[in-house]
Amino acid sequence: MKQAADQIRALLRAPATGDGPVDLAAIDPRGTPGLPEKRRGAKAKSWARERVTELGGDLATQQEMLYAGAQVDPPADRRVLLVLQAMDCGGKDGTIRRVAGAMNPLGLHIRAFGPPTPEELRHDFLWRIRRSLPPRGYVGIFNRSHYEDVLIARVESLVSPQVWRGRYDEINAFERELTDSGYTLVKVFLHISPEEQRERLLKRLDNPTKHWKYNPADLDARARWDDYQAAYAEAIGRCAGPDAPWYVVPADRKWYRDWAVANILAETFADLGLGYPPGNFDVAHERSRLLDA
Amino acid sequence: MKQAADQIRALLRAPATGDGPVDLAAIDPRGTPGLPEKRRGAKAKSWARERVTELGGDLATQQEMLYAGAQVDPPADRRVLLVLQAMDCGGKDGTIRRVAGAMNPLGLHIRAFGPPTPEELRHDFLWRIRRSLPPRGYVGIFNRSHYEDVLIARVESLVSPQVWRGRYDEINAFERELTDSGYTLVKVFLHISPEEQRERLLKRLDNPTKHWKYNPADLDARARWDDYQAAYAEAIGRCAGPDAPWYVVPADRKWYRDWAVANILAETFADLGLGYPPGNFDVAHERSRLLDA
């Protein structure tokens, strides 16, 4: 299982490109890279769902160890931060529900970033991000992130080209600071096709309990699909630092998406070599105090 | 099922006492009030666990409706806030994992309150509480709360009697402000016996993966058990406002505790009469835009 996870993470990791974009068009959103050969076919979905449940137990344990390490004296300065980016309907919410849902909510630090508020706009673009970072011991999840500032900000010309072009280096410096300070970064782009997005939007329209998720303005972003893909390709390629990896996860198939993200997280945790911290007390002495009291 | 939940909430609700304490000693921590007669006996635990799983699905739906209502224009100003208090080993963490774990972590706003930081101490005791309130649409969970300021603060004389005595009215005014502003409050005291606490502390000592949860100083609070019970009894009785109910949940049996809290929450949600909000758009028009694009 460890072996399989390693393979998946390596398969999905985006290459650093220096100044250029990654080739997103070469990655099939319906693909299932890393899925074991013998698991392909009609039963792939149910197999993957079962594996996600199993991996969920492992993730919950790893998260508890991370949390435990921050509760003792001296505390370990470790945090894990999962950054999720995607086009609308890309499955960010579903991924959080399925993958993070397996962990103890007490140790999760989830933040969603919408359009900046007037107060946020009065600050540097990283101001609201810094305020939302997970404390030590927590697994942070960003539902959208500072990458919006080189995505929608670029495509919709919310800032000048000079400003967004400068942000790649600013983001790299920021993320370098984080990884130097005990953060483990896992950045995931959920890669869907425009056809799949259309299907999902139509399904939302068909289901009145999903209408709150539908925003007519989403079609404006859809109309600029290629511009967004170009912005993603450049952001991913330019900000794929050695300790700040981007993973491009084919996401047209939800069961594959969840399986891939769960594996990426499990393997990332395994690298941390976490364990339960020892206590700072004499067990026999404490036991006798308890029995005497 | 609705019937059963109603009964449980009514059974566990603490009476408002005006200026005096509730009678905690009259409530058996090993009791299982409201458990259907035919479910008692050897299989009670497995039955209750199954019911918690079922109720979890209901809670997840209710939470989604709460969240959805805050995403539309104009947004509904509704929040639910679960306050959990207990002696050490009372099961706050376990309750959150089992009951809140069923909901989408994206819509949870969980905050734990430890000893106040130097900055927090420079402010009014409610300062850190106000900063931690859930935004509209969220289910907030407080792992400990402002009640610590009439519990440990009283028992350990961290403030003068004049100060903590004034806090009951201050808490009632604060909670009244919250319920007037769209908050639904659910305050739960997990009621365990000193014998059960001893068992759980011994188990922690026996299990090295739990040592991080053990703090020798916890035995100091244990030594003042009766003082803490008196402080709880007064806080619960004096702050059981009509819209800010306290529930005393017998918590020596973990399966009963989870079942009771899940029922209390489910019934509270049912009172809110939530539904999915309608969209502000023409479905047919949007469908044709999508199919044309």
Side-chain angles (χ1 to χ4, degrees):
Chain A
M1 286 307 169
K2 177 76 159 52
Q3 185 73 15
D6 271 314
Q7 286 169 4
I8 291 148
R9 199 161 58 143
L11 277 172
L12 300 180
R13 183 164 179 160
T17 54
D19 281 349
V22 293
D23 185 4
L24 283 181
I27 300 172
D28 179 5
R30 294 194 69 76
T32 56
L35 196 74
E37 204 53 52
K38 64 179 176 184
R39 300 300 180 183
R40 295 177 186 275
K43 291 186 180 162
K45 181 173 172 176
S46 61
W47 177 80
R49 290 261 185 250
E50 269 173 49
R51 281 293 298 139
V52 168
T53 302
E54 286 170 38
L55 284 164
D58 177 37
L59 292 176
T61 301
Q62 295 282 345
Q63 178 207 22
E64 185 174 77
M65 293 190 292
L66 183 76
Y67 188 84
Q71 308 303 313
V72 295
D73 189 24
D77 249 339
R78 282 237 167 97
R79 306 105 159 118
V80 171
L81 178 59
L82 171 66
V83 172
L84 284 174
Q85 288 284 163
M87 297 293 284
D88 289 317
C89 291
K92 298 186 303 298
D93 291 10
T95 303
I96 293 173
R97 195 172 62 245
R98 298 264 187 166
V99 179
M103 299 190 228
N104 186 345
L106 201 56
L108 294 175
H109 187 92
I110 303 181
R111 296 295 181 271
F113 296 94
T117 64
E119 186 187 16
E120 287 168 352
L121 284 173
R122 286 200 294 272
H123 295 273
D124 172 73
F125 77 105
L126 292 174
W127 181 76
R128 64 176 184 163
I129 305 296
R130 288 184 184 276
R131 291 159 56 95
S132 304
L133 290 167
R136 66 165 74 106
Y138 281 78
V139 174
I141 301 179
F142 281 180
N143 187 345
R144 304 186 189 271
S145 67
H146 44 298
Y147 283 95
E148 292 296 327
D149 297 290
V150 289
L151 294 167
I152 188 172
R154 161 179 167 165
V155 173
E156 302 294 344
S157 300
L158 304 181
V159 295
S160 73
Q162 194 187 350
V163 168
W164 62 255
R165 283 196 188 115
R167 286 179 176 168
Y168 300 110
D169 287 345
E170 291 157 22
I171 288 174
N172 284 332
F174 168 61
E175 294 185 354
R176 173 68 184 271
E177 174 197 332
L178 295 184
T179 54
D180 282 353
S181 315
Y183 284 83
T184 299
L185 295 183
V186 181
K187 300 180 291 184
V188 171
F189 173 54
L190 303 175
H191 184 39
I192 60 165
S193 64
E195 295 75 23
E196 179 68 18
Q197 188 194 53
R198 188 203 314 251
E199 288 307 306
R200 293 184 187 180
L201 287 168
L202 285 170
K203 271 193 189 161
R204 284 187 184 176
L205 288 174
D206 286 342
N207 183 349
T209 75
K210 301 287 184 196
H211 282 181
W212 63 277
K213 284 193 161 195
Y214 185 91
N215 183 345
D218 291 347
L219 296 199
D220 301 338
R222 179 172 164 78
R224 309 197 67 171
W225 188 275
D226 291 343
D227 294 339
Y228 272 101
Q229 295 293 304
Y232 270 110
E234 187 162 356
I236 292 168
R238 294 187 64 169
C239 300
D243 293 323
W246 266 109
Y247 301 97
V248 178
V249 173
D252 273 9
R253 300 174 198 263
K254 294 176 181 175
W255 56 266
Y256 174 78
R257 169 199 80 196
D258 296 338
W259 177 81
V261 174
N263 272 289
I264 290 168
L265 279 177
E267 178 55 26
T268 301
F269 270 120
D271 275 359
L272 295 181
L274 298 172
Y276 286 101
N280 275 329
F281 50 84
D282 181 279
V283 173
H285 175 66
E286 293 300 318
R287 184 175 287 117
S288 71
R289 280 178 75 201
L290 251 171
L291 292 172
D292 290 348
Chain B
M1 284 307 169
K2 177 76 159 51
Q3 185 73 14
D6 270 316
Q7 286 168 3
I8 291 148
R9 199 162 57 145
L11 277 172
L12 300 180
R13 182 163 178 162
T17 55
D19 281 350
V22 292
D23 185 5
L24 282 181
I27 299 171
D28 179 6
R30 294 193 70 75
T32 56
L35 196 73
E37 204 53 50
K38 65 179 177 184
R39 300 301 179 184
R40 294 176 186 275
K43 290 184 179 164
K45 180 173 172 174
S46 61
W47 176 81
R49 291 259 185 252
E50 269 173 46
R51 282 292 298 139
V52 168
T53 302
E54 286 171 38
L55 284 163
D58 178 37
L59 292 175
T61 302
Q62 295 282 345
Q63 179 206 24
E64 186 174 77
M65 292 191 291
L66 184 76
Y67 188 83
Q71 307 303 314
V72 294
D73 190 22
D77 248 340
R78 282 237 166 98
R79 306 103 159 121
V80 170
L81 178 59
L82 172 66
V83 172
L84 285 174
Q85 287 283 163
M87 297 292 285
D88 288 318
C89 292
K92 298 185 303 296
D93 291 11
T95 304
I96 293 173
R97 195 171 63 243
R98 297 264 188 164
V99 179
M103 300 189 229
N104 186 345
L106 201 56
L108 293 175
H109 187 91
I110 303 181
R111 295 296 181 271
F113 295 95
T117 64
E119 185 187 18
E120 288 168 352
L121 285 173
R122 286 199 296 270
H123 295 273
D124 172 71
F125 77 105
L126 292 174
W127 180 76
R128 65 175 184 164
I129 305 296
R130 288 184 183 276
R131 291 159 56 94
S132 304
L133 291 167
R136 66 163 75 105
Y138 280 79
V139 175
I141 301 180
F142 281 180
N143 188 344
R144 304 185 189 271
S145 67
H146 43 300
Y147 283 94
E148 293 295 326
D149 296 291
V150 289
L151 294 167
I152 189 171
R154 162 180 168 164
V155 174
E156 302 292 345
S157 301
L158 304 181
V159 295
S160 72
Q162 195 188 349
V163 168
W164 61 255
R165 285 199 186 113
R167 285 179 176 168
Y168 301 110
D169 287 345
E170 291 158 19
I171 288 173
N172 284 332
F174 168 60
E175 293 186 353
R176 173 68 185 271
E177 174 197 332
L178 295 185
T179 55
D180 283 353
S181 315
Y183 283 84
T184 298
L185 295 183
V186 181
K187 300 180 293 186
V188 171
F189 173 55
L190 303 174
H191 184 40
I192 60 165
S193 65
E195 296 74 25
E196 179 68 19
Q197 189 194 51
R198 189 205 312 253
E199 288 307 307
R200 293 184 187 179
L201 287 168
L202 286 170
K203 270 193 189 161
R204 284 187 184 174
L205 288 174
D206 287 342
N207 183 348
T209 75
K210 301 288 183 195
H211 282 182
W212 63 277
K213 285 193 161 196
Y214 185 90
N215 183 345
D218 291 347
L219 296 198
D220 302 338
R222 178 172 165 77
R224 308 198 66 172
W225 189 274
D226 292 343
D227 294 338
Y228 272 101
Q229 295 293 303
Y232 269 111
E234 188 162 354
I236 291 169
R238 295 187 65 168
C239 300
D243 293 323
W246 266 108
Y247 301 96
V248 178
V249 173
D252 273 10
R253 300 175 197 264
K254 294 176 182 176
W255 55 265
Y256 173 79
R257 171 199 79 197
D258 296 338
W259 177 79
V261 174
N263 272 291
I264 290 168
L265 278 177
E267 179 54 27
T268 302
F269 269 120
D271 276 359
L272 295 181
L274 298 171
Y276 287 100
N280 275 328
F281 50 83
D282 182 276
V283 173
H285 176 67
E286 293 300 319
R287 183 175 288 115
S288 71
R289 279 179 75 201
L290 252 171
L291 293 172
D292 289 348

